[in-house]
Structure formats: structure tokens, C-alpha cells
Amino acid sequence: MPTVPDNAHLDARIDWRSADDAAHWIQTAVDTIAGALARDLDAQPRALLLLSGGGTPGPVHRALADVALDWSRVDVSLVDDRWVPADDAASNARLARETLLHGRAAAARFLPLVPAIDPAEDTADAMTAAVDAANARWREQGLVPAIAVLGMGDDGHTASLFPGARGVDHALATPLPYAAIDAHGCPGAGTLPLRISLTAAGLAAARQRLLLLRGDTKREVLARAAAPGPVAQYPVRAAFADTLDVLWCA
Ligand SMILES: O=C(O)[C@H](O)[C@@H](O)[C@H](O)[C@H](O)COP(=O)(O)O
């Protein structure tokens, strides 16, 4: 079992777990997420699950879909999404629908962040309206997320909080759960710079945060981020609220 990296001055608030192999990593992630949902479903009528996008979480979502939960009482929403149509290959809503929302989990209620995009509408206005709607829904739904499942880029971003992106300073300071991000010029955002993202407050609001990491590069980036420093330098630091569960595998 790989041990916690000896070069990692991990903050006491990081609960680091590493898995021997991908199968163990997936099952541990599924058990953690399902446990968080079951805990909330035991205590209240509904539970809220927040998912990220990217290339890491798909296998976990697929395995999670088979878990025997009362999925009809689960709301699934997103940590962040790209400002693309819901059927776009880059859409995190599409990723959630394709990897989680089938089988047993098809009974869950999905709450997207990005509405149908009207090309005739001013993009900035449309994104502002979508963020306002996501924040209003969060307030009206009154649900504390049972768990936010996070990823991290090699630049130390999580959600869509890219270092140096327009809107990140606001997202790290606002008490609202979602914000619009313009990551033009941020390599980590690739060709998808316009985002709606959980803010630092949104990340902190979740009862639990699970950061799923694969590979040595991400382990090293997290170790650097775990050292003291400004959140804006490594925005994954915004997820260090209270406790951050990290699950890593080579
Ligand atoms: O919309 C997104 O891209 C994600 O929410 C983002 O925060 C992702 O978790 C990281 O970029 C890591 O992505 P990988 O899993 O592809 O490394």
C-alpha cells in the first residue's frame, strides 16, 4: 500500500488515503460517496450529491450507479460546468447523465447548472442569470450537500477555480455558492474557459469533500498546495475547509 508521500507537508485537515490499484480506488470512492448519501438519507427526506467533470471520476460514477440507495430521494448536481450545451461532449451535465444517471441511479433528480444556451443572448448576461438561478435554487432547496466530489488540475485548480482566472477572486470571497468564471488564458481550462463553479463558500458548505486524484503529478501538486500559501495560488486550498478527504491512486 503506497504510503502518504514523505515530501507532503499535508495540512492536518487533509485526510489522505491511497489505494493499491484502480479497482480498490474506485470501490473506496464509491463506499465514501454512498456512505455520505446514506447518512443524509437516514436523517432527512433528501440528499444532495455534487459531481465534478474531467477525465478522472467517470469510473467512480459508473460503479456508484449500481449502489442500492433510495436514489429517488437523491438530488444530483454539479460542482461546476462548462458553458456549453448539455449534449456537448465537454458538458459535465452530459458526463453525469452518461456515467451516473442510469440503472438504479436513473431515479435520482438531476439539477444542471447550465440552461439551454440561446446563441442570440449576450453570453455574460446569460451566465449571470444562470449563476443567479443556481444560487436561488440552492437557497430555496435548503439542502446541505452530503458530499462534493472534486478533482484537481495540475495547476492546482479545483471546480473551475483556475489560478488567475477572471472571477476567481470574487469566487474565493463571496458567501454565495456559485459564481461565473472566465478562464480565458488559463492553460488548465483548455478550450473551455467559460464556467459556472462552486465558490469557496460552496465548497465549504458541503458536509464532506472528496478529492479524487490519480497519478504522481497530482500527488505532488497537492503536496505543494498543502503547504501554507495564498488560496489563489492553488485554489484547491479552498477545499481544505474543515476536512478534505483525499483518495489517491497511482
Ligand atoms: O469541469 C472540470 O474539468 C472539473 O470539474 C475540474 O475541476 C476537474 O476536476 C479537474 O480539471 C481535473 O480534471 P481531470 O480529472 O481530467 O484531471
Side-chain angles (χ1 to χ4, degrees), residues 51-57 79-82 92 150-153 157-160 162 188 195 218:
L51 300 178
S52 288
T56 300
V79 166
D80 62 340
D81 210 349
R82 298 85 179 272
N92 291 347
L150 307 175
M152 186 190 72
H157 82 263
T158 194
S160 286
F162 295 93
R195 308 284 186 105
K218 291 190 184 207

Side-chain angles (χ1 to χ4, degrees), residues 15-196:
D15 176 11
W16 173 280
R17 287 180 292 171
S18 53
D20 271 333
D21 54 46
H24 179 219
W25 179 82
I26 290 168
Q27 191 55 55
T28 305
V30 168
D31 293 347
T32 302
I33 298 165
L37 292 173
R39 177 193 63 217
D40 277 19
L41 290 173
D42 284 347
Q44 56 197 45
R46 297 192 71 79
L48 175 58
L49 167 62
L50 300 180
L51 300 178
S52 288
T56 300
V60 172
H61 297 173
R62 287 189 175 86
L64 182 64
D66 293 335
V67 170
L69 274 176
D70 185 354
W71 286 100
S72 67
R73 293 168 56 214
V74 177
D75 290 340
V76 177
S77 193
L78 295 169
V79 166
D80 62 340
D81 210 349
R82 298 85 179 272
W83 189 257
V84 294
D87 61 356
D88 189 295
S91 164
N92 291 347
R94 176 171 168 175
L95 178 74
R97 291 186 196 282
E98 289 181 347
T99 58
L100 176 66
L101 301 174
H102 55 82
R104 288 192 170 112
R109 177 167 63 179
F110 182 60
L111 306 170
L113 294 179
V114 177
I117 296 176
D118 175 357
E121 192 177 0
D122 175 81
T123 299
D125 291 347
M127 289 184 71
T128 298
V131 166
D132 291 347
N135 286 330
R137 182 177 69 196
W138 176 292
R139 187 175 56 252
E140 289 150 16
Q141 190 183 28
L143 266 182
V144 172
I147 189 165
V149 183
L150 307 175
M152 186 190 72
D154 293 352
D155 58 358
H157 82 263
T158 194
S160 286
L161 302 174
F162 295 93
R166 192 174 310 154
V168 161
D169 289 345
H170 164 74
L172 295 180
T174 178
L176 295 173
Y178 285 103
I181 299 293
D182 179 346
H184 277 95
C186 299
T191 58
L192 300 154
L194 298 181
R195 308 284 186 105
I196 294 181

